[in-house]
Each structure stands twice: as structure tokens, then as C-alpha cells.
Amino acid sequence: MEVNKRKVGAFYEGLAADYLISQGVMILERNYRSRLGEIDLIGMTADGWLIFVEVKYRKTKRAGYALEAIDSRKAGQVRRVAAVYL
């Protein structure tokens, strides 16, 4: 059975957004795109901090932990897109 990765990604991004909202974060953007890339969620904490969120889902631990999927290249891309947003 073929898995629609966009639907799966959207589902888990929604769960992440719901969790952040439950923690008092206001979601400002979902799937923010610039010519440099995309950031899944952009939010603001109650005390005024902007947060930039990359959502990663792993079906099993064999795929590694989600944090391991954020290598220096991806972190740099998120930083550059965040700078464009700012």
C-alpha cells in the first residue's frame, strides 16, 4: 500500500501545532515558503519569542530519531529561511 507522504506530514504537522498551541504558542505560519526553502511551523510564545519548527515523523526507531534527521545542511536552511521571514 502506497503511503501519501504529504498527507502523513500534514497530519503530524497538525499534531505538532496542536501541541504547541496547548503550550501557549500562537501559530503564525504553517508551511512558510521562500525561494530558499520551507519551515513547517512558525509560532510565538506568550513571552514574545519567535520559534521556528521543523516537524519530523519516524514510524519506527529503525529510521533513526527525528532529531538525527536535522543535519547541518537542514539546520542552515531553516536559519536562512527564518532570516527571510524576519
Side-chain angles (χ1 to χ4, degrees), residues 25-77:
V25 174
M26 179 176 29
I27 302 299
L28 304 175
E29 301 279 349
R30 292 176 187 239
N31 301 308
Y32 175 80
R33 293 182 186 273
S34 81
R35 64 180 178 80
L36 300 175
E38 177 193 20
I39 295 177
D40 295 326
L41 300 168
I42 301 174
M44 183 175 283
T45 65
D47 54 354
W49 287 89
L50 276 177
I51 60 169
F52 299 91
V53 180
E54 176 69 18
V55 177
K56 294 292 184 189
Y57 165 72
R58 295 289 182 260
K59 187 173 184 177
T60 68
K61 290 183 180 174
R62 268 189 289 159
Y65 292 98
L67 186 58
E68 295 170 333
I70 308 296
D71 58 14
S72 60
R73 182 197 61 78
K74 183 61 178 179
Q77 179 187 16

Short mmCIF file of all heavy atoms in Angstrom, two decimals, residues 25-77:
data_model
loop_
_atom_site.label_atom_id
_atom_site.label_comp_id
_atom_site.label_asym_id
_atom_site.label_seq_id
_atom_site.Cartn_x
_atom_site.Cartn_y
_atom_site.Cartn_z
N VAL A 25 1.62 28.56 22.66
CA VAL A 25 2.25 29.14 21.47
C VAL A 25 1.17 29.51 20.46
O VAL A 25 0.26 28.73 20.20
CB VAL A 25 3.25 28.14 20.83
CG1 VAL A 25 3.79 28.66 19.52
CG2 VAL A 25 4.37 27.82 21.80
N MET A 26 1.27 30.72 19.91
CA MET A 26 0.37 31.15 18.84
C MET A 26 1.05 30.79 17.51
O MET A 26 2.19 31.20 17.25
CB MET A 26 0.13 32.65 18.91
CG MET A 26 -0.78 33.14 17.81
SD MET A 26 -1.24 34.90 17.86
CE MET A 26 0.14 35.68 18.64
N ILE A 27 0.37 30.02 16.69
CA ILE A 27 0.91 29.63 15.39
C ILE A 27 0.69 30.79 14.42
O ILE A 27 -0.44 31.20 14.18
CB ILE A 27 0.26 28.33 14.87
CG1 ILE A 27 0.45 27.18 15.86
CG2 ILE A 27 0.80 27.98 13.48
CD1 ILE A 27 1.89 26.81 16.14
N LEU A 28 1.79 31.29 13.89
CA LEU A 28 1.73 32.42 12.96
C LEU A 28 1.70 31.97 11.51
O LEU A 28 1.06 32.61 10.67
CB LEU A 28 2.93 33.35 13.18
CG LEU A 28 3.11 33.90 14.59
CD1 LEU A 28 4.40 34.70 14.67
CD2 LEU A 28 1.92 34.76 14.98
N GLU A 29 2.44 30.90 11.21
CA GLU A 29 2.54 30.39 9.84
C GLU A 29 2.63 28.88 9.85
O GLU A 29 3.22 28.30 10.76
CB GLU A 29 3.80 30.92 9.15
CG GLU A 29 3.93 32.41 9.05
CD GLU A 29 3.15 33.03 7.91
OE1 GLU A 29 2.64 32.29 7.04
OE2 GLU A 29 3.04 34.26 7.90
N ARG A 30 2.05 28.28 8.83
CA ARG A 30 2.21 26.85 8.58
C ARG A 30 2.78 26.71 7.17
O ARG A 30 2.30 27.35 6.24
CB ARG A 30 0.87 26.11 8.65
CG ARG A 30 0.30 26.08 10.06
CD ARG A 30 -1.08 25.41 10.04
NE ARG A 30 -1.71 25.52 11.34
CZ ARG A 30 -2.09 24.49 12.06
NH1 ARG A 30 -1.92 23.26 11.62
NH2 ARG A 30 -2.65 24.68 13.23
N ASN A 31 3.81 25.90 7.05
CA ASN A 31 4.44 25.65 5.75
C ASN A 31 4.86 26.95 5.07
O ASN A 31 4.55 27.20 3.91
CB ASN A 31 3.53 24.82 4.84
CG ASN A 31 3.20 23.50 5.47
OD1 ASN A 31 4.09 22.76 5.87
ND2 ASN A 31 1.92 23.19 5.59
N TYR A 32 5.57 27.79 5.81
CA TYR A 32 6.08 29.05 5.28
C TYR A 32 7.15 28.74 4.23
O TYR A 32 8.09 28.00 4.49
CB TYR A 32 6.68 29.91 6.40
CG TYR A 32 7.34 31.16 5.88
CD1 TYR A 32 6.57 32.27 5.55
CD2 TYR A 32 8.71 31.23 5.71
CE1 TYR A 32 7.17 33.42 5.05
CE2 TYR A 32 9.31 32.36 5.21
CZ TYR A 32 8.54 33.45 4.88
OH TYR A 32 9.12 34.59 4.39
N ARG A 33 7.00 29.31 3.05
CA ARG A 33 7.95 29.04 1.96
C ARG A 33 8.60 30.33 1.48
O ARG A 33 7.95 31.36 1.41
CB ARG A 33 7.23 28.42 0.76
CG ARG A 33 6.70 27.04 1.01
CD ARG A 33 6.05 26.49 -0.26
NE ARG A 33 5.42 25.22 0.00
CZ ARG A 33 6.04 24.05 -0.06
NH1 ARG A 33 7.30 24.00 -0.37
NH2 ARG A 33 5.39 22.94 0.20
N SER A 34 9.88 30.20 1.18
CA SER A 34 10.59 31.26 0.46
C SER A 34 11.37 30.55 -0.64
O SER A 34 11.35 29.32 -0.74
CB SER A 34 11.55 32.01 1.39
OG SER A 34 12.74 31.29 1.57
N ARG A 35 12.08 31.30 -1.44
CA ARG A 35 12.87 30.67 -2.51
C ARG A 35 13.99 29.79 -1.94
O ARG A 35 14.54 28.95 -2.63
CB ARG A 35 13.43 31.72 -3.45
CG ARG A 35 14.40 32.66 -2.80
CD ARG A 35 14.94 33.69 -3.80
NE ARG A 35 15.84 34.61 -3.14
CZ ARG A 35 17.11 34.35 -2.87
NH1 ARG A 35 17.63 33.19 -3.21
NH2 ARG A 35 17.87 35.25 -2.26
N LEU A 36 14.29 29.97 -0.65
CA LEU A 36 15.37 29.22 -0.01
C LEU A 36 14.91 27.91 0.63
O LEU A 36 15.74 27.10 1.02
CB LEU A 36 16.06 30.08 1.06
CG LEU A 36 16.69 31.37 0.54
CD1 LEU A 36 17.22 32.20 1.69
CD2 LEU A 36 17.78 31.07 -0.47
N GLY A 37 13.60 27.73 0.78
CA GLY A 37 13.11 26.52 1.41
C GLY A 37 11.83 26.75 2.19
O GLY A 37 11.13 27.74 1.96
N GLU A 38 11.55 25.84 3.11
CA GLU A 38 10.30 25.86 3.86
C GLU A 38 10.56 25.63 5.34
O GLU A 38 11.48 24.91 5.72
CB GLU A 38 9.37 24.75 3.34
CG GLU A 38 8.08 24.65 4.10
CD GLU A 38 7.30 23.38 3.80
OE1 GLU A 38 7.89 22.40 3.31
OE2 GLU A 38 6.10 23.38 4.08
N ILE A 39 9.73 26.25 6.16
CA ILE A 39 9.69 25.98 7.59
C ILE A 39 8.28 25.49 7.88
O ILE A 39 7.29 26.12 7.49
CB ILE A 39 10.03 27.22 8.43
CG1 ILE A 39 11.47 27.64 8.18
CG2 ILE A 39 9.79 26.95 9.92
CD1 ILE A 39 11.90 28.89 8.90
N ASP A 40 8.17 24.36 8.58
CA ASP A 40 6.86 23.75 8.81
C ASP A 40 5.94 24.63 9.65
O ASP A 40 4.78 24.83 9.30
CB ASP A 40 7.02 22.38 9.48
CG ASP A 40 7.73 21.39 8.56
OD1 ASP A 40 7.55 21.46 7.33
OD2 ASP A 40 8.48 20.55 9.09
N LEU A 41 6.43 25.12 10.78
CA LEU A 41 5.61 25.95 11.67
C LEU A 41 6.43 27.12 12.18
O LEU A 41 7.61 26.96 12.51
CB LEU A 41 5.13 25.13 12.87
CG LEU A 41 4.27 23.91 12.59
CD1 LEU A 41 4.13 23.07 13.86
CD2 LEU A 41 2.91 24.31 12.06
N ILE A 42 5.79 28.27 12.26
CA ILE A 42 6.38 29.43 12.90
C ILE A 42 5.39 29.89 13.95
O ILE A 42 4.20 30.04 13.66
CB ILE A 42 6.68 30.57 11.91
CG1 ILE A 42 7.64 30.09 10.82
CG2 ILE A 42 7.25 31.79 12.64
CD1 ILE A 42 7.88 31.10 9.70
N GLY A 43 5.87 30.06 15.17
CA GLY A 43 4.98 30.44 16.26
C GLY A 43 5.59 31.51 17.13
O GLY A 43 6.76 31.87 16.99
N MET A 44 4.77 32.02 18.03
CA MET A 44 5.23 33.00 19.01
C MET A 44 4.79 32.54 20.39
O MET A 44 3.62 32.21 20.60
CB MET A 44 4.67 34.38 18.72
CG MET A 44 5.20 35.44 19.70
SD MET A 44 4.67 37.10 19.28
CE MET A 44 5.77 37.43 17.92
N THR A 45 5.75 32.52 21.30
CA THR A 45 5.44 32.13 22.68
C THR A 45 4.73 33.28 23.38
O THR A 45 4.74 34.43 22.91
CB THR A 45 6.72 31.77 23.45
OG1 THR A 45 7.54 32.94 23.57
CG2 THR A 45 7.49 30.65 22.77
N ALA A 46 4.15 32.98 24.53
CA ALA A 46 3.42 34.00 25.29
C ALA A 46 4.32 35.15 25.71
O ALA A 46 3.85 36.29 25.85
CB ALA A 46 2.78 33.36 26.53
N ASP A 47 5.62 34.89 25.87
CA ASP A 47 6.53 35.96 26.27
C ASP A 47 7.26 36.59 25.08
O ASP A 47 8.26 37.29 25.26
CB ASP A 47 7.51 35.50 27.35
CG ASP A 47 8.29 34.26 26.96
OD1 ASP A 47 8.02 33.67 25.90
OD2 ASP A 47 9.18 33.88 27.73
N GLY A 48 6.75 36.35 23.86
CA GLY A 48 7.24 37.08 22.70
C GLY A 48 8.36 36.46 21.89
O GLY A 48 8.88 37.09 20.98
N TRP A 49 8.75 35.23 22.18
CA TRP A 49 9.79 34.56 21.41
C TRP A 49 9.21 33.98 20.14
O TRP A 49 8.18 33.30 20.17
CB TRP A 49 10.42 33.43 22.22
CG TRP A 49 11.30 33.90 23.32
CD1 TRP A 49 10.93 34.19 24.59
CD2 TRP A 49 12.70 34.14 23.24
NE1 TRP A 49 12.02 34.59 25.33
CE2 TRP A 49 13.12 34.57 24.51
CE3 TRP A 49 13.64 34.03 22.22
CZ2 TRP A 49 14.44 34.89 24.78
CZ3 TRP A 49 14.95 34.35 22.50
CH2 TRP A 49 15.33 34.77 23.77
N LEU A 50 9.87 34.21 19.01
CA LEU A 50 9.51 33.53 17.77
C LEU A 50 10.17 32.17 17.77
O LEU A 50 11.35 32.05 18.14
CB LEU A 50 10.01 34.31 16.56
CG LEU A 50 9.15 35.45 16.05
CD1 LEU A 50 9.84 36.14 14.88
CD2 LEU A 50 7.78 34.97 15.62
N ILE A 51 9.43 31.16 17.36
CA ILE A 51 10.01 29.82 17.26
C ILE A 51 9.78 29.29 15.84
O ILE A 51 8.74 29.52 15.23
CB ILE A 51 9.45 28.84 18.32
CG1 ILE A 51 7.95 28.67 18.20
CG2 ILE A 51 9.81 29.30 19.72
CD1 ILE A 51 7.40 27.55 19.04
N PHE A 52 10.78 28.62 15.33
CA PHE A 52 10.74 28.04 14.00
C PHE A 52 10.84 26.53 14.18
O PHE A 52 11.79 26.04 14.79
CB PHE A 52 11.90 28.58 13.17
CG PHE A 52 11.83 30.07 13.00
CD1 PHE A 52 12.45 30.92 13.90
CD2 PHE A 52 11.11 30.63 11.95
CE1 PHE A 52 12.37 32.29 13.77
CE2 PHE A 52 11.02 32.01 11.81
CZ PHE A 52 11.65 32.85 12.72
N VAL A 53 9.86 25.80 13.65
CA VAL A 53 9.72 24.37 13.95
C VAL A 53 9.80 23.54 12.67
O VAL A 53 9.06 23.79 11.71
CB VAL A 53 8.38 24.09 14.66
CG1 VAL A 53 8.22 22.61 14.97
CG2 VAL A 53 8.23 24.95 15.91
N GLU A 54 10.68 22.57 12.68
CA GLU A 54 10.77 21.56 11.63
C GLU A 54 10.18 20.28 12.21
O GLU A 54 10.68 19.77 13.21
CB GLU A 54 12.22 21.36 11.21
CG GLU A 54 12.43 20.28 10.19
CD GLU A 54 11.88 20.61 8.82
OE1 GLU A 54 11.63 21.79 8.52
OE2 GLU A 54 11.69 19.67 8.02
N VAL A 55 9.12 19.77 11.60
CA VAL A 55 8.44 18.58 12.11
C VAL A 55 9.00 17.36 11.37
O VAL A 55 9.05 17.33 10.15
CB VAL A 55 6.91 18.68 11.90
CG1 VAL A 55 6.22 17.40 12.36
CG2 VAL A 55 6.36 19.89 12.62
N LYS A 56 9.40 16.36 12.14
CA LYS A 56 9.89 15.10 11.58
C LYS A 56 9.14 13.95 12.22
O LYS A 56 8.98 13.90 13.43
CB LYS A 56 11.39 14.92 11.84
CG LYS A 56 12.26 15.91 11.12
CD LYS A 56 12.22 15.66 9.63
CE LYS A 56 13.17 16.58 8.90
NZ LYS A 56 12.98 16.48 7.46
N TYR A 57 8.67 13.03 11.40
CA TYR A 57 7.97 11.85 11.88
C TYR A 57 8.80 10.61 11.55
O TYR A 57 9.35 10.50 10.45
CB TYR A 57 6.60 11.75 11.22
CG TYR A 57 5.95 10.40 11.38
CD1 TYR A 57 5.46 10.01 12.62
CD2 TYR A 57 5.85 9.51 10.32
CE1 TYR A 57 4.88 8.76 12.78
CE2 TYR A 57 5.27 8.27 10.48
CZ TYR A 57 4.78 7.90 11.71
OH TYR A 57 4.22 6.67 11.88
N ARG A 58 8.86 9.70 12.46
CA ARG A 58 9.52 8.42 12.25
C ARG A 58 8.56 7.31 12.66
O ARG A 58 8.08 7.29 13.79
CB ARG A 58 10.81 8.32 13.08
CG ARG A 58 11.87 9.31 12.66
CD ARG A 58 12.42 8.87 11.31
NE ARG A 58 13.47 9.73 10.83
CZ ARG A 58 13.30 10.69 9.93
NH1 ARG A 58 12.10 10.95 9.47
NH2 ARG A 58 14.31 11.39 9.49
N LYS A 59 8.27 6.41 11.73
CA LYS A 59 7.36 5.31 12.00
C LYS A 59 7.98 4.31 12.98
O LYS A 59 7.30 3.79 13.85
CB LYS A 59 6.98 4.62 10.69
CG LYS A 59 5.91 3.57 10.85
CD LYS A 59 5.47 3.06 9.51
CE LYS A 59 4.33 2.08 9.66
NZ LYS A 59 3.83 1.62 8.37
N THR A 60 9.28 4.06 12.80
CA THR A 60 9.98 3.14 13.69
C THR A 60 11.33 3.75 14.07
O THR A 60 11.81 4.67 13.40
CB THR A 60 10.25 1.78 13.02
OG1 THR A 60 11.20 1.96 11.98
CG2 THR A 60 8.97 1.15 12.49
N LYS A 61 11.92 3.22 15.12
CA LYS A 61 13.24 3.70 15.54
C LYS A 61 14.33 3.28 14.55
O LYS A 61 15.41 3.85 14.55
CB LYS A 61 13.57 3.21 16.94
CG LYS A 61 12.71 3.89 17.99
CD LYS A 61 13.09 3.46 19.38
CE LYS A 61 12.19 4.17 20.38
NZ LYS A 61 12.40 3.71 21.72
N ARG A 62 14.02 2.31 13.70
CA ARG A 62 15.00 1.89 12.69
C ARG A 62 15.35 3.05 11.76
O ARG A 62 16.44 3.11 11.21
CB ARG A 62 14.48 0.73 11.86
CG ARG A 62 14.89 -0.60 12.43
CD ARG A 62 14.56 -1.71 11.49
NE ARG A 62 13.10 -1.88 11.48
CZ ARG A 62 12.43 -2.45 10.52
NH1 ARG A 62 13.03 -2.92 9.47
NH2 ARG A 62 11.12 -2.57 10.59
N ALA A 63 14.41 3.97 11.55
CA ALA A 63 14.66 5.13 10.70
C ALA A 63 15.49 6.18 11.43
O ALA A 63 15.86 7.19 10.85
CB ALA A 63 13.32 5.74 10.24
N GLY A 64 15.78 5.96 12.69
CA GLY A 64 16.53 6.92 13.49
C GLY A 64 15.58 7.87 14.20
O GLY A 64 14.37 7.88 13.96
N TYR A 65 16.14 8.64 15.09
CA TYR A 65 15.33 9.62 15.81
C TYR A 65 15.13 10.85 14.94
O TYR A 65 15.97 11.17 14.09
CB TYR A 65 16.01 10.01 17.12
CG TYR A 65 16.04 8.88 18.12
CD1 TYR A 65 17.16 8.08 18.27
CD2 TYR A 65 14.91 8.60 18.89
CE1 TYR A 65 17.18 7.03 19.17
CE2 TYR A 65 14.91 7.54 19.79
CZ TYR A 65 16.04 6.76 19.93
OH TYR A 65 16.04 5.73 20.81
N ALA A 66 14.03 11.55 15.15
CA ALA A 66 13.72 12.73 14.33
C ALA A 66 14.84 13.76 14.40
O ALA A 66 15.20 14.36 13.38
CB ALA A 66 12.38 13.33 14.78
N LEU A 67 15.40 13.96 15.58
CA LEU A 67 16.48 14.95 15.72
C LEU A 67 17.67 14.62 14.83
O LEU A 67 18.34 15.52 14.31
CB LEU A 67 16.91 15.07 17.18
CG LEU A 67 17.93 16.16 17.50
CD1 LEU A 67 17.41 17.53 17.09
CD2 LEU A 67 18.26 16.14 18.98
N GLU A 68 17.90 13.34 14.60
CA GLU A 68 19.02 12.93 13.75
C GLU A 68 18.80 13.32 12.29
O GLU A 68 19.75 13.37 11.50
CB GLU A 68 19.23 11.42 13.85
CG GLU A 68 19.67 10.98 15.23
CD GLU A 68 19.65 9.48 15.39
OE1 GLU A 68 18.87 8.78 14.71
OE2 GLU A 68 20.42 8.99 16.25
N ALA A 69 17.56 13.60 11.91
CA ALA A 69 17.25 13.99 10.53
C ALA A 69 17.58 15.45 10.27
O ALA A 69 17.57 15.88 9.12
CB ALA A 69 15.77 13.72 10.23
N ILE A 70 17.86 16.21 11.30
CA ILE A 70 18.22 17.62 11.14
C ILE A 70 19.74 17.71 11.15
O ILE A 70 20.37 17.87 12.18
CB ILE A 70 17.61 18.50 12.26
CG1 ILE A 70 16.12 18.28 12.38
CG2 ILE A 70 17.93 19.97 12.02
CD1 ILE A 70 15.31 18.67 11.16
N ASP A 71 20.30 17.60 9.95
CA ASP A 71 21.76 17.71 9.84
C ASP A 71 22.14 19.18 9.68
O ASP A 71 21.28 20.06 9.68
CB ASP A 71 22.28 16.86 8.68
CG ASP A 71 21.65 17.22 7.33
OD1 ASP A 71 21.01 18.30 7.22
OD2 ASP A 71 21.81 16.44 6.39
N SER A 72 23.42 19.44 9.53
CA SER A 72 23.88 20.83 9.45
C SER A 72 23.33 21.53 8.22
O SER A 72 23.02 22.72 8.26
CB SER A 72 25.40 20.90 9.48
OG SER A 72 25.95 20.20 8.39
N ARG A 73 23.14 20.79 7.13
CA ARG A 73 22.57 21.39 5.91
C ARG A 73 21.14 21.86 6.16
O ARG A 73 20.77 22.98 5.84
CB ARG A 73 22.60 20.38 4.76
CG ARG A 73 22.06 20.94 3.45
CD ARG A 73 21.70 19.84 2.45
NE ARG A 73 20.67 18.94 2.93
CZ ARG A 73 19.36 19.22 2.94
NH1 ARG A 73 18.93 20.38 2.52
NH2 ARG A 73 18.49 18.35 3.38
N LYS A 74 20.32 20.98 6.77
CA LYS A 74 18.92 21.33 7.04
C LYS A 74 18.84 22.46 8.06
O LYS A 74 18.01 23.37 7.92
CB LYS A 74 18.14 20.11 7.52
CG LYS A 74 16.66 20.37 7.76
CD LYS A 74 15.97 20.83 6.49
CE LYS A 74 14.48 21.03 6.72
NZ LYS A 74 13.78 21.50 5.53
N ALA A 75 19.67 22.42 9.09
CA ALA A 75 19.67 23.48 10.10
C ALA A 75 20.02 24.82 9.45
O ALA A 75 19.41 25.86 9.75
CB ALA A 75 20.64 23.16 11.22
N GLY A 76 20.98 24.80 8.54
CA GLY A 76 21.35 26.02 7.83
C GLY A 76 20.21 26.54 6.97
O GLY A 76 19.97 27.75 6.91
N GLN A 77 19.50 25.63 6.33
CA GLN A 77 18.36 26.03 5.51
C GLN A 77 17.28 26.68 6.38
O GLN A 77 16.73 27.72 6.03
CB GLN A 77 17.78 24.83 4.76
CG GLN A 77 16.57 25.20 3.93
CD GLN A 77 15.88 23.99 3.32
OE1 GLN A 77 16.11 22.85 3.73
NE2 GLN A 77 15.03 24.23 2.34
#
